[in-house]
Amino acid sequence: ISMATALRLAAVARDSPAAVSKLGRERASLCAIARPGGQCFARRGLVLRCQSGAAAAAATISKGGAADGAGAAAGFTVVMKFGGSSLASAARMREVADLILSFPEETPVVVLSAMGKTTNNLLLAGEKAVSCGAPKASEINELAVIKKLHLRTIDELGLDSSIVSGFLDELEQLLKGVAMMKELTLRTRDYLVSFGECMSTRIFSAYLNKLGKKARQYDAFDLGFITTDDFTNADILEATYPAVAKRLHGDWIDDPAIPIVTGFLGKGWKSCAVTTLGRGGSDLTATTIGKALGLREIQVWKDVDGVLTCDPNIYANAVPVPYLTFDEAAELAYFGAQVLHPQSMRPAREGGIPVRVKNSYNRHAPGTVITKTRDMRKSILTSIVLKSNITMLDIVSTRMLGQYGFLAKVFSIFEDLGISVDSVATSEVSISLTLDPSKLWSRELIQQELDHVVEELEKIAVVHLLQHRSIISLIGNVQRSSLILEKAFNVLRRNGVNVQMISQGASKQVNISLVVNDSEAKQCVQALHSAFFENGFLSEVEEADLAQNMAPVLVSSNGAINGN
Ligand SMILES: Nc1ncnc2c1ncn2[C@@H]1O[C@H](COP(=O)(O)OP(=O)(O)O)[C@@H](O)[C@H]1O
Ligand SMILES: N[C@@H](CC(=O)OP(=O)(O)O)C(=O)O
């Protein structure tokens, strides 16, 4: 293992005895960790042997903690992740099983989300339990919906109800507990939503076994997914990669069976409690496993024909984008395209593993392939993303022109308050910025907090808090930014829309962010989509380019631009 991994594992081991028992005692070879300086320490019976230089303990693990070749050695070739939209019923479970079996040449690791809208229902049930009173907790409508869906699925697949009955009973008890306490902490919320993935994977694994395809269910929190303790939005720690690889690899060698892994879940490294990776986090589970095992491909199966040119719920004319770079996909996800989890591209990029977004309802559609580089010759605008209900701050310095340190002061206030910023535009005396909505997902940025931000900023500036704004992000080819801007502003002007803030990144792919009022945002996206993708604009530009005999351009994920 690399020294970096060794040190991270050492840190986990040192600070969390329980993590030692999971990571180390069962897999002593993994945890024979080197530390520089030849220092040794032991904890709870686990000896961390120390050497100088690169550690040499676990033979199966190498390079940055990923188990190079471990996947290949175990026979695994791909990760196949199926989201709730692919698993909404017994019929869908049959379809997905059939889909997996239709690739006999692959040995997949399967990652599943909760069935249909189960996560939403669990969250709603939890919220209702807080205020309904203990006697009424059993009558919460969402609990009944969850029970009905899972028991009916079990029945229709011809499985034994004992697979989920224990979970359903415990879920009811948990809701009664919440009702009694009149409180739903973030930790309890994570535990509550984990029931969805725990049940879907058990049902699916049992069904594959019934079909004669040997499968083994794993709860990610027992498989080695070690995370921060940021309940509802936890980050995966490096120790996860070797732990997951070692476990999947070892089990396969002992007794080959297709792993069916719960998406979205992990285990907090200090608390040892169940954590979740943020909404849509099963995509991240899939890419983490892909990197851990060094697999050939990560497949993310959805209910759309890949990543589309815009959200199909906003505009039905959206079409699939055949190729994306990891950076483009990350940008799309971060700026609001619900189709991928914002952090999910990171492990794939680090492991250099292509991600394929496919449609489980239309398996022959080519989907979207996401890789490190792609041919940008014909690319102008890739996709339009809308993020609504954004808060924007307009901050005008009360000091005189030319005073330094204003930006530093403003950002130090955000740092002190633990609020991160999304897009920024500055002038000599003013800053306009939008607040990072991931903050909203993880811990509601409530009005009180916003008022506090304004109060602090008002000590050095005049502040306008502007709510109900939207960010429209234009993700495209950095080499064509002027063309994109020209076209976009033409469209907006024709539609009578005044842009309130603009920000454009300087490198890699273009991300032009335009802030407009919530009320006009959808209409803007539709008009922009229609202008860029539907009226022959791209082929017109292509023809013009051909006439000029443009050279091919490759933009790589690390920002390098190679022309020839
Ligand atoms: N640019 C986009 N491309 C594709 N789908 C998008 C886009 N923006 C939003 N979506 C929405 O994302 C949904 C798929 O993501 P998600 O619901 O997380 O799937 P799953 O639950 O199967 O993982 C689509 O049904 C679509 O409504
Ligand atoms: N079930 C979780 C995790 C997830 O990834 O779901 P999906 O793949 O259905 O988006 C959620 O709804 O957030």
Side-chain angles (χ1 to χ4, degrees), residues 81-85 113-114 116 119-120 197 264 278-283 302:
K81 179 257 164 170
F82 296 90
S85 59
S113 302
T119 307
N120 286 355
E197 272 72 10
F264 183 47
R279 294 305 307 268
S282 303
D283 296 339
K302 305 264 170 187

Side-chain angles (χ1 to χ4, degrees), residues 78-79 287 290 295-300 324 326 345 347-349 351-357 368-372:
V78 293
V79 181
T287 54
L295 300 183
R296 196 194 78 240
E297 185 171 279
I298 297 157
Q299 297 176 358
V300 183
L324 283 174
F326 292 129
M345 288 303 112
R349 182 203 283 124
I353 302 168
V355 175
R356 198 179 286 271
V357 183
T368 300
V369 183
I370 310 171
T371 48
K372 202 166 182 177

Side-chain angles (χ1 to χ4, degrees), residues 81-86 113 116-117 280 282-283 300-313 318 332 336-340 383-385:
K81 179 257 164 170
F82 296 90
S85 59
S86 299
S113 302
K117 301 268 174 235
S282 303
D283 296 339
V300 183
W301 292 82
K302 305 264 170 187
D303 61 348
V304 277
D305 283 348
V307 177
L308 307 179
T309 43
C310 77
D311 183 343
N313 301 304
L332 274 165
Q338 192 213 322
V339 65
L340 289 168
S383 193
I384 305 170
V385 188

